[in-house]
Amino acid sequence: MPKTVILVATYNGEKYLKNQLDTIRDQELKPDFVLFRDDRSSDGTVKFIRNYIVENQLENWLVKINEENIGWRLNFRQLLLDGLTTNADYFFFSDQDNVWKLDKNRCQIEAMETHPQIEVLSADIEIGKTSDDVADLPKWFKYYQFPEGEALSQYPPRKNYSSYRVGWAVVMRRKFVVDLMTYWKPEYNVTHDVIVPVLASLLGTGYNLNQVIGTHLLHDTNATGARLLTLSSPKKLHVEELYKFVGFYDVLYQVLKARSFAQAAEMKHYYDFYVKRYELARENKFFAVFGQILTDWHYYPGMSGRIRDVIFAFKK
């Protein structure tokens, strides 16, 4: 049987963890490893996990605590590195606050074993709430709609910074993780459930299992659907977010190049575009920003990006 590892990122999740951990513990396909990395929680998260492990006599459930708070994006990056220290063949992401169907991992691994061309496999989810007064997902936040009637759907190629499903619905082969982590530098604060499916879509190895494998629970502290950057944000945040795209396209370019994919050349153009866009914003080159909008118009994902650059060009 292939070996599996579940990577659980935690931060102040004490009151949500039990349901998540119960559904991991009770999976029909038992995980060989469950690795937790806590991002300096200030509540009882770590104590709860350690007590849960002891009370349920769980082997290879291991907890690590970051030396400093690094944020959820880099926490997932570090978890991928943790996973590579095991002999797992398949890597699952997990949040701290959802509910998995008990056949989730079995169904996904069976699909991967049946279809060896798949390196990344997501699946469908349903949305639930911890209480009636919790807000719905914003209208702009929509999951990709795969064709009806297909058991498995291949990801259409995607080159912009967006996803198909939330991270905890994803499983990856070890080789894919190795290639990804070879180029995902610690300064690249990219989102795990964006870089993984976009890379897989360009490689032609990303698929979705068109069945519900769990419930995504909405509560007052969800990261899902929250906008990090708005037009009222400070210039510094705008610059930091542009560097995120620099890292995103560098990783795509490097992996595609290492695998000798023709799309590598196009990703290099996007990387160069974002390096220039980042440097112009960082150096406050007001008129040069307008020049880039005109000369590199087609590299922007949409009009909102161009408007964003114009507005932040006026900020110091």
Side-chain angles (χ1 to χ4, degrees):
M1 282 294 292
K3 293 187 179 298
T4 63
V5 59
I6 298 176
L7 309 173
V8 189
T10 63
Y11 179 71
N12 289 346
E14 179 183 9
K15 64 181 180 179
Y16 304 114
L17 269 166
K18 187 178 186 306
N19 286 339
Q20 177 72 87
L21 299 191
D22 285 348
T23 58
I24 291 175
R25 181 197 64 195
D26 296 336
Q27 284 293 301
E28 293 177 6
L29 177 63
K30 302 297 183 187
D32 295 281
F33 307 91
V34 180
L35 306 183
F36 299 85
R37 184 165 282 274
D38 186 77
D39 201 25
R40 308 299 300 182
S41 292
S42 58
D43 66 356
T45 293
V46 173
K47 181 179 179 180
F48 178 87
I49 296 171
R50 286 174 172 166
N51 287 341
Y52 187 94
I53 292 171
V54 171
E55 291 169 2
N56 291 279
Q57 301 179 1
L58 299 167
E59 294 185 4
N60 293 328
W61 286 46
L62 307 173
V63 184
K64 292 185 178 182
I65 305 172
N66 293 332
E67 293 183 1
E68 60 182 6
N69 181 275
I70 60 176
W72 59 271
R73 288 191 180 98
L74 293 181
N75 205 26
F76 275 111
R77 175 191 176 275
Q78 190 59 50
L79 276 165
L80 286 169
L81 294 174
D82 294 340
L84 288 174
T85 66
T86 73
N87 63 348
D89 303 294
Y90 292 99
F91 292 59
F92 290 89
F93 288 125
S94 174
D95 294 335
Q96 62 186 4
D97 49 8
N98 299 302
V99 177
W100 293 6
K101 289 185 178 294
L102 299 187
D103 63 352
K104 171 189 178 297
N105 290 5
R106 178 181 61 78
C107 290
Q108 289 188 277
I109 294 301
E110 286 178 353
M112 298 278 276
E113 289 285 283
T114 304
H115 301 277
Q117 78 276 17
I118 301 176
E119 289 190 289
V120 171
L121 181 67
S122 59
D124 291 348
I125 63 172
E126 58 189 8
I127 304 296
K129 294 184 178 183
T130 56
S131 64
D132 291 338
D133 58 351
V134 173
D136 294 327
L137 283 171
K139 292 182 179 180
W140 58 264
F141 187 92
K142 294 182 179 180
Y143 295 112
Y144 185 84
Q145 296 297 309
F146 291 98
E148 294 184 5
E150 294 182 350
L152 281 171
S153 297
Q154 186 173 19
Y155 293 165
R158 179 171 284 185
K159 56 190 176 185
N160 293 327
Y161 197 92
S162 58
S163 188
Y164 301 93
R165 293 291 183 270
V166 289
W168 66 263
V170 168
V171 58
M172 300 154 284
R173 289 189 191 272
R174 184 182 188 92
K175 176 61 165 62
F176 179 89
V177 175
V178 169
D179 288 354
L180 172 66
M181 300 315 296
T182 300
Y183 302 104
W184 187 351
K185 301 176 183 178
E187 62 266 29
Y188 289 167
N189 194 25
V190 299
T191 307
H192 65 292
D193 54 8
V194 173
I195 187 68
V196 166
V198 172
L199 176 58
S201 80
L202 295 173
L203 293 171
T205 60
Y207 287 73
N208 191 71
L209 180 64
N210 298 321
Q211 69 182 64
V212 173
I213 46 83
T215 303
H216 190 73
L217 291 178
L218 301 180
H219 52 79
D220 292 335
T221 57
N222 281 110
T224 305
R227 286 189 184 272
L228 178 64
L229 182 75
T230 66
L231 296 181
S232 61
S233 298
K235 177 72 167 279
K236 180 176 181 292
L237 185 58
H238 168 63
V239 174
E240 290 174 354
E241 281 291 284
L242 288 180
Y243 191 70
K244 179 180 72 177
F245 291 101
V246 171
F248 174 70
Y249 285 105
D250 186 34
V251 173
L252 296 181
Y253 162 63
Q254 296 292 350
V255 176
L256 289 167
K257 178 184 176 184
R259 292 199 182 187
S260 300
F261 271 68
Q263 298 97 318
E266 183 181 13
M267 292 305 105
K268 180 61 163 61
H269 291 315
Y270 273 92
Y271 168 73
D272 292 340
F273 163 73
Y274 274 99
V275 168
K276 180 180 177 182
R277 189 179 172 191
Y278 162 73
E279 290 176 347
L280 293 180
R282 184 185 59 177
E283 297 169 8
N284 288 314
K285 299 209 172 169
F286 182 87
F287 292 106
V289 168
F290 287 87
Q292 185 183 29
I293 292 172
L294 294 175
T295 58
D296 295 332
W297 183 272
H298 63 288
Y299 284 111
Y300 284 88
M303 184 58 71
S304 61
R306 303 179 189 107
I307 294 172
R308 166 181 161 178
D309 279 7
V310 170
I311 291 175
F312 279 100
F314 285 94
K315 295 187 179 186
K316 297 296 184 182

